[in-house]
Amino acid sequence: MGFSSWLFNLTEGVGIAFDAIRANKVRAALTILGVAVGVFVVVTLSAAVHGINTSVAKDLESAGPTSFFVFRRPVSLSEMCDGTENTCPSRRNPPITLTEAEAVARLPEIKAVTSHIGWNATYKYKDKEISQGGLDAYSAGWLQADGGDIVSGRNFTYAENTAGARVIVINDKMAERLFKDSDPLDKFIDVTGIPFKVIGIHHNTGSFLGKPSSSAAGNDPKAMIPLETGRRQLGMQLRRLDLTIRPHESVQRDQAIDAVTSTLRGQRGLKPSAPDNFAIMTSDGLLAIYDGFFGVFFIVMIALSAVGLLVGGVGVIAIMMISVTERTREIGVRKALGATRRTILWQFLVEAATLTCVGASIGLIAGSAVAFLINRFTPVPASTPPMAIVAALAVSAFTGIVFGMLPAAKASRLDPVEALRYE
């Protein structure tokens, strides 16, 4: 079959498929609906997961491509802890201390270290209130290791951190919620009942999930205060301390991790044979955890879409078998005029694939529209990945070919004489 003949048969098959859809709207709609539902589910969940992963990756990159984190315990979604030694031996790990943070900061390989405690607080300004908003207590200089910008005002100083001053940097989302169009700088807001002076506004377009030691969480109201202020004024507990570490640009990350590991083990007096009683996580490792978490969504997505495609495939068989019966004489005429079995087979396979691709297109449009609405009206940064579009069309076409094979084979095997006699 030459290319011109192949192209002619393809366009003819597509045209016949659209004629069949117009002639049998209800049957075609039911067939298309199953495929459309399957593709809709795939596209919608793919858009949500893709958007979240992209946002989280951007979040982690904002801390610097070579930055890494130190936690008291490993971060994992696969380890189930019921409080016993067997399932969570790391629960006895000692907390990260400020002394250890200072020791790490003195290493020649390290450019910046941020000590951090994550908290929640209630914020109030006049009649405006935010309940359980994010509150991060940082050591001074946290912007060097954590990213984002002070877009108005200033960051707190080393002296203010040491003195435990009641100063606060709020992110632009909190400024919008509490102050609307007025200038928040130099005004006082109540943080869990204690007045704090607003000295700066921070902006960091980060993931709605936020990263482990960050002021990101771009769509949520959040505030940052000096670490010592958090301890003295709000009773923040150091056992929740973690570190964000940025190596010098000339130092490889693995080299910096080795230096930090050695220093922490020395600080804790661990013997060479003893395992680490702290956890170091890189951006790649944290991203892998996020990927593992959202892998569950992919499994659900595949299961739901498989059901939709199966329903659509059964519909393809039904509508194509009816089509073969109704067009028996037409098939006889085409064979009498010289059409080969391959030509007839190809024609019906193209028709079946066209049906499922129409359903896939409807599902793509609907899924993309829902993804746009999710992105527009929720904190989830949904965006349809191009590969999801290609995969949806390819899988739908494949489904049409597989389920259309039986009626296509039946049509191709028809005897031309018997077909011409068919009434």
Side-chain angles (χ1 to χ4, degrees):
M1 185 187 298
F3 177 75
S4 58
S5 177
W6 174 85
L7 184 61
F8 173 78
N9 289 328
L10 177 64
T11 55
E12 184 185 37
V14 172
I16 292 173
F18 280 109
D19 289 340
I21 292 173
R22 283 191 288 269
N24 305 282
K25 294 184 178 62
V26 176
R27 288 190 323 215
L30 292 174
T31 302
I32 290 171
L33 181 63
V35 179
V37 170
V39 172
F40 169 76
V41 172
V42 171
V43 171
T44 304
L45 291 180
S46 293
V49 172
H50 175 71
I52 291 169
N53 280 346
T54 303
S55 181
V56 170
K58 185 178 178 182
D59 239 11
L60 294 173
E61 287 176 0
S62 71
T66 60
S67 293
F68 55 93
F69 311 92
V70 178
F71 300 107
R72 176 187 175 190
R73 296 166 57 174
V75 179
S76 173
L77 294 175
S78 59
E79 293 183 5
M80 302 301 293
C81 179
D82 61 4
T84 65
E85 289 288 348
N86 291 332
T87 58
C88 46
S90 61
R91 70 189 182 93
R92 292 190 180 278
N93 285 357
I96 307 297
T97 66
L98 292 175
T99 302
E100 291 171 338
E102 291 168 358
V104 170
R106 288 193 294 269
L107 290 171
E109 295 88 350
I110 302 305
K111 180 178 182 180
V113 177
T114 296
S115 301
H116 163 262
I117 300 174
W119 210 257
N120 285 316
T122 299
Y123 301 91
K124 190 173 183 180
Y125 177 73
K126 294 184 176 178
D127 60 337
K128 304 289 191 310
E129 182 173 316
I130 297 173
S131 300
Q132 296 300 304
L135 177 64
D136 287 319
Y138 284 110
S139 54
W142 59 279
L143 282 173
Q144 293 184 52
D146 214 62
D149 296 304
I150 301 292
V151 295
S152 180
R154 63 176 178 85
N155 188 18
F156 50 79
T157 64
Y158 181 83
E160 287 172 329
N161 179 52
T162 303
R166 291 181 187 175
V167 292
I168 190 167
V169 175
I170 61 177
N171 73 352
D172 45 6
K173 300 300 179 185
M174 178 171 288
E176 182 182 335
R177 290 272 298 273
L178 290 182
F179 297 94
K180 291 194 174 179
D181 297 329
S182 63
D183 186 2
L185 295 182
D186 296 328
K187 294 186 172 67
F188 285 83
I189 61 175
D190 283 346
V191 182
T192 316
I194 300 174
F196 277 72
K197 183 180 181 180
V198 179
I199 61 170
I201 300 175
H202 180 257
H203 173 74
N204 189 3
T205 306
S207 161
F208 79 106
L209 294 171
K211 60 187 178 187
S213 60
S214 162
S215 61
N219 291 318
D220 294 331
K222 243 184 174 185
M224 287 63 69
I225 60 174
L227 186 65
E228 281 300 315
T229 304
R231 293 177 59 195
R232 299 179 192 177
Q233 304 292 340
L234 301 175
M236 289 183 166
Q237 299 170 0
L238 280 178
R239 64 183 178 83
R240 301 180 63 171
L241 190 76
D242 56 61
L243 309 178
T244 301
I245 300 173
R246 169 171 284 191
H248 283 292
E249 286 75 8
S250 58
V251 176
Q252 296 291 322
R253 185 171 64 184
D254 289 345
Q255 180 186 349
I257 289 176
D258 289 343
V260 170
T261 301
S262 177
T263 299
L264 291 178
R265 288 182 63 86
Q267 287 280 320
R268 298 184 171 208
L270 294 175
K271 296 179 180 178
S273 59
D276 294 340
N277 55 3
F278 53 89
I280 293 181
M281 294 293 296
T282 63
S283 301
D284 297 339
L286 290 172
L287 195 58
I289 291 173
Y290 279 111
D291 287 341
F293 176 74
F294 290 111
V296 176
F297 285 95
F298 272 113
I299 294 174
V300 174
M301 176 179 67
I302 291 171
L304 292 177
S305 62
V307 172
L309 291 174
L310 181 63
V311 172
V314 173
V316 166
I317 293 178
I319 196 170
M320 293 305 296
M321 291 298 281
I322 294 171
S323 179
V324 170
T325 302
E326 292 177 343
R327 293 157 58 191
T328 299
R329 283 181 61 81
E330 175 197 325
I331 296 169
V333 171
R334 289 174 64 90
K335 283 201 165 184
L337 293 176
T340 63
R341 288 183 60 181
R342 177 183 293 184
T343 303
I344 301 297
L345 182 73
W346 170 253
Q347 175 191 328
F348 279 89
L349 288 180
V350 169
E351 289 183 40
T354 302
L355 276 172
T356 51
C357 284
V358 170
S361 300
I362 294 173
L364 275 173
I365 294 171
S368 299
V370 171
F372 172 78
L373 294 175
I374 291 174
N375 186 58
R376 179 68 178 81
F377 296 107
T378 75
V380 181
S383 63
T384 306
M387 279 306 298
I389 298 174
V390 175
L393 291 174
V395 171
S396 299
F398 180 74
T399 302
I401 291 172
V402 169
F403 285 90
M405 186 62 74
L406 180 62
K410 178 184 176 183
S412 68
R413 287 197 297 265
L414 285 176
D415 181 81
V417 176
E418 295 297 326
L420 287 171
R421 290 176 178 172
Y422 183 80
E423 294 292 339

